[in-house]
Amino acid sequence: MMNIVNPASGEIIVTVNEDDSKSLAHKYLLLKSGQVAWASRSLDERIAVIEKFYQLLDEEIAHLARILTEEVGKPLQQSRNEINGARARIRWMLDHAVQYLSDEIVTDGPDLKELISYEPLGVVCNISAWNYPYLVGVNVFIPALLAGNAVMYKPSEYATLTGLEIEKLLNRAGVPADVFKVAVGAKETGAHLLYMNFNGYFFTGSYQTGKYIYERVAPKMVPCQLELGGKDPLYVTDDVKDIAGIAAGTADGAFYNNGQSCCSVERIYVHEKVYDKYVDAFVKEVKSWKIGLPNEEGVYIGALTRKEQPGLLENQVKDALQKQATLLTGGNIIEGKGNYFEPTVLTSVDHSMKVMKEESFGPIIGIMKVKNDQEAIKLMQDTAYGLTASVYSESMDRARQILAQIDSGTGYWNCCDRVSAGLPWSGRKHSGIGATLSHQGLRAFTKPKSWHLRG
């Protein structure tokens, strides 16, 4: 049995049964059998089913957002935003599935045809994350289903109820019960999945867990994609004009979803010529936010999902202050029920401090003054991660020259903390391997077969 706890109150929402090795084996056999029939359906039929799921997400958004907020602690409006964002990604996949999953003709001569077909992997395992269960979930299980795979979906133990709601809606939409199954549980459940005979593993989460999964499934020689964390840098150059607007936008990029995003801005570098004005505007923006119960309208900073996280953030603040950082706002655990931490801004920081080197995953940011682009590039590159990097400048050429020197999967000019369904989402170094979204994300769940047809 596993308790589902509301992180805003500490109260138990419900208790659910966890899967064990026996129940998981049973679900796997059902998926293995069901996948054959699902793959035999035409692509148009599978698209029609997912189209219905897309519609149901809209019809049930109020109910789904309430459940999401209750179990992960994000503000209610941000839960609604997440579901709408997931729908936008599904829409792109539906609109492009035929283009990228149909047979691709390479040569079409009178005596020879050459083509590529994209066959499903089979039964895939999706071990997903709690911070955006809809967004990171649809990155995997929607293209997997469209391509003809069956899916064992393990939501994080912190987003179990949302995972079960997803299963219900997929079944209502027409996905057979033996094509999509939820594995309920925490670490032990996930460990069982690693020793089963899946045809591919797709994980979203921390580097440490991703590395563990990669090592365990490597002998199977099946696809294993890892969407991991980041320590994403942002640089504000000296030529920017709308400093107040940039400060507000980048503060949102750092603190949205309580800073619990893989692509949240985690460290900021600002040219010395605009540093003071930027910091003043940034702190003003942070101090304007409402903190409170996530189901109250207008709340921007809600509860942190995991009870351990406030302590980790407190440790980063103490470490920074011991090394002569300056605390401009926040810095403390908010006492009382739930997992709350004040939105925190630190300056006079450097790379000897944890807040500038280790993933924070919370409402905390360090802002560092730099003399020029070269110093900013050197500091931005000083990380084991490589998910995203951002540059704010009046010049696109200048920004691209800087970003070209940063080893990250995504580069942003005058924006941050965003994902587009048409572009691949991928990480470098400790931020992961493989790609979701775009045509690459659709084909990641297929095996290409070459056909040489003569006659």
Side-chain angles (χ1 to χ4, degrees):
M1 302 295 286
M2 182 173 69
N3 292 330
I4 308 298
V5 178
N6 185 329
S9 66
E11 297 174 352
I12 296 174
I13 303 170
V14 68
T15 299
V16 298
N17 291 319
E18 286 188 82
D19 277 305
D20 57 19
S21 58
K22 184 177 180 180
S23 63
L24 290 172
H26 177 67
K27 289 180 177 181
Y28 171 80
L29 290 176
L30 291 173
L31 291 172
K32 191 170 180 63
S33 175
Q35 187 270 328
V36 177
W38 178 247
S40 69
R41 293 198 193 184
S42 70
L43 177 56
D44 286 343
E45 288 180 280
R46 296 195 296 270
I47 288 172
V49 170
I50 301 304
E51 180 82 45
K52 179 61 176 174
F53 175 69
Y54 167 83
Q55 295 168 359
L56 287 172
L57 285 175
D58 186 47
E59 293 172 14
E60 302 290 342
I61 189 169
H63 169 68
L64 300 173
R66 179 184 59 79
I67 291 174
L68 180 57
T69 288
E70 281 185 353
E71 67 176 343
V72 305
K74 70 174 61 184
L76 190 59
Q77 182 56 53
Q78 294 182 23
S79 290
R80 291 192 286 260
N81 292 347
E82 179 182 347
I83 296 167
N84 282 326
R87 292 186 72 245
R89 293 185 189 179
I90 295 170
R91 181 73 269 154
W92 188 93
M93 294 174 197
L94 290 169
D95 292 344
H96 292 83
V98 170
Q99 179 181 359
Y100 294 120
L101 295 177
S102 299
D103 292 354
E104 182 180 355
I105 297 175
V106 178
T107 303
D108 191 11
D111 300 318
L112 176 67
K113 288 188 177 183
E114 295 177 323
L115 58 90
I116 306 168
S117 63
Y118 295 93
E119 300 177 348
L121 295 174
V123 182
V124 300
C125 179
N126 177 199
I127 302 175
S128 198
W130 51 263
N131 58 333
Y132 288 102
Y134 285 99
L135 286 173
V136 300
V138 303
N139 286 4
V140 174
F141 64 73
I142 291 299
L145 291 169
L146 286 170
N149 298 280
V151 179
M152 179 79 84
Y153 176 68
K154 187 204 170 297
S156 164
E157 61 269 33
Y158 300 104
T160 299
L161 300 181
T162 291
L164 293 171
E165 290 297 318
I166 288 170
E167 182 180 44
K168 290 177 187 176
L169 289 194
L170 284 170
N171 292 160
R172 280 178 57 188
V175 175
D178 58 359
V179 170
F180 186 92
K181 291 288 185 185
V182 170
V184 176
K187 184 177 180 179
E188 187 174 343
T189 300
H192 284 310
L193 296 173
L194 303 184
Y195 294 95
M196 298 171 69
N197 293 320
F198 291 103
N199 302 113
Y201 287 84
F202 298 82
F203 169 74
T204 304
S206 71
Y207 162 72
Q208 290 80 9
T209 304
K211 180 175 180 288
Y212 178 85
I213 290 172
Y214 200 55
E215 291 171 345
R216 292 302 176 279
V217 306
K220 301 175 190 288
M221 298 186 71
V222 298
C224 180
Q225 288 198 180
L226 307 172
E227 181 183 327
L228 309 179
K231 191 66 181 174
D232 298 12
L234 182 146
Y235 173 42
V236 181
T237 67
D238 60 326
D239 67 359
V240 295
K241 292 183 171 59
D242 182 16
I243 296 177
I246 291 171
T250 53
D252 181 66
F255 289 90
Y256 188 83
N257 194 31
N258 299 331
Q260 298 173 127
S261 305
C262 295
C263 57
S264 286
V265 176
E266 287 244 348
R267 50 199 172 103
I268 297 176
Y269 307 96
V270 184
H271 196 287
E272 60 185 8
K273 291 183 179 179
V274 296
Y275 178 84
D276 290 339
K277 288 183 179 180
Y278 174 86
V279 169
D280 288 345
F282 190 99
V283 172
K284 182 180 179 181
E285 175 68 16
V286 171
K287 287 183 175 180
S288 73
W289 294 330
K290 180 180 178 181
I291 306 169
L293 294 173
N295 57 0
E296 292 180 0
E297 293 294 339
V299 168
Y300 182 83
I301 298 291
L304 291 161
T305 304
R306 296 176 296 177
K307 65 181 180 180
E308 300 84 6
Q309 203 64 15
L312 183 149
L313 300 174
E314 184 180 50
N315 179 267
Q316 288 194 350
V317 172
K318 289 180 178 178
D319 171 75
L321 294 179
Q322 288 172 358
K323 297 171 181 174
Q324 308 307 310
T326 300
L327 179 65
L328 297 186
T329 188
N332 299 300
I333 294 173
I334 299 175
E335 299 299 332
K337 295 181 179 179
N339 313 325
Y340 287 89
F341 197 86
E342 295 173 339
T344 299
V345 181
L346 293 156
T347 56
S348 302
V349 293
D350 60 48
H351 279 216
S352 71
M353 302 173 188
K354 294 178 181 179
V355 72
M356 299 300 284
K357 293 288 287 182
E358 298 178 6
E359 193 171 19
S360 300
F361 229 62
I364 180 173
I365 195 73
I367 305 177
M368 186 173 177
K369 183 189 298 185
V370 297
K371 294 180 179 179
N372 50 44
D373 293 356
Q374 289 69 37
E375 184 180 9
I377 292 167
K378 181 179 178 181
L379 292 166
M380 292 169 81
Q381 272 286 74
D382 183 25
T383 179
Y385 294 98
L387 192 58
T388 80
S390 311
V391 173
Y392 280 72
S393 170
E394 291 296 304
S395 168
M396 183 178 71
D397 288 342
R398 179 181 180 183
R400 290 196 64 175
Q401 287 175 7
I402 294 168
L403 291 167
Q405 299 176 66
I406 309 300
D407 191 14
S408 65
T410 295
Y412 299 117
W413 173 50
N414 290 346
C415 58
C416 59
D417 188 32
R418 70 183 305 273
V419 181
S420 173
L423 296 176
W425 188 246
S426 62
R428 311 275 179 86
K429 301 184 287 187
H430 287 187
S431 289
I433 186 169
T436 55
L437 300 178
S438 77
H439 72 279
Q440 295 185 41
L442 283 169
R443 288 179 174 170
F445 301 90
T446 67
K447 300 175 289 188
K449 176 174 283 187
S450 299
W451 295 83
H452 304 255
L453 308 174
R454 184 181 294 280

